[in-house]
Amino acid sequence: QVQLVESGGGVVQAGGSLKLSCAASESITTINSIGWYRQVSGKKREFVALTTNGGWTDYADSVKGRFTISRDNAKNTVYLQMDNLKSEDTAMYYCNSARLASFLYRVTDFPSWGQGTQVTVSS
């Protein structure tokens, strides 16, 4: 099973930017689809963005126009560039993978999650 490690979180003021990284233990071209998710303590984990080998991306409505997902196949890493951050973006951020992009929307069906990386936006 592929191992994914999230990093890049931190504390930033509202309106600022952060870039998260999701490093995979194997080639992301064979994984195909990778998604970013976030969870606020006490609330359900939610989908944020996804990318596929074919170049397709999708975003949650709450982050469209502010977040950009990208991938570096040579580094086996997927990034989440977060701009114009808002206090409501404060959460633990996770990444996960699937061969079929449609599976990435089924947040509760993943068998496991990594440690995540904490993003805190101060107002």
Side-chain angles (χ1 to χ4, degrees):
Q1 185 175 352
V2 63
Q3 301 296 316
L4 300 172
V5 178
E6 305 92 345
S7 63
V11 180
V12 63
Q13 287 189 332
S17 300
L18 277 176
K19 187 174 185 177
L20 306 184
S21 298
C22 172
S25 60
E26 61 185 70
S27 172
I28 60 175
T29 57
T30 59
I31 296 171
N32 186 42
S33 305
I34 295 179
W36 279 99
Y37 305 82
R38 65 187 182 186
Q39 185 174 26
V40 176
S41 180
K43 295 188 176 181
K44 293 182 179 179
R45 187 174 280 136
E46 62 178 13
F47 166 80
V48 175
L50 69 82
T51 176
T52 70
N53 273 342
W56 184 55
T57 59
D58 194 22
Y59 299 89
D61 288 343
S62 59
V63 306
K64 280 181 181 176
R66 300 187 299 119
F67 290 13
T68 304
I69 191 170
S70 62
R71 56 197 294 155
D72 186 334
N73 291 341
K75 295 183 177 180
N76 293 328
T77 301
V78 171
Y79 303 99
L80 185 68
Q81 175 68 44
M82 307 186 295
D83 299 318
N84 191 22
L85 282 160
K86 304 176 180 180
S87 56
E88 51 262 44
D89 295 317
T90 295
M92 186 71 79
Y93 283 72
Y94 304 85
C95 57
N96 220 318
S97 66
R99 292 203 179 276
L100 296 177
S102 58
F103 189 86
L104 293 179
Y105 297 101
R106 298 163 58 178
V107 181
T108 59
D109 288 349
F110 286 102
S112 63
W113 293 89
Q115 299 287 334
T117 186
Q118 176 68 39
V119 172
T120 302
V121 183
S122 61
S123 56

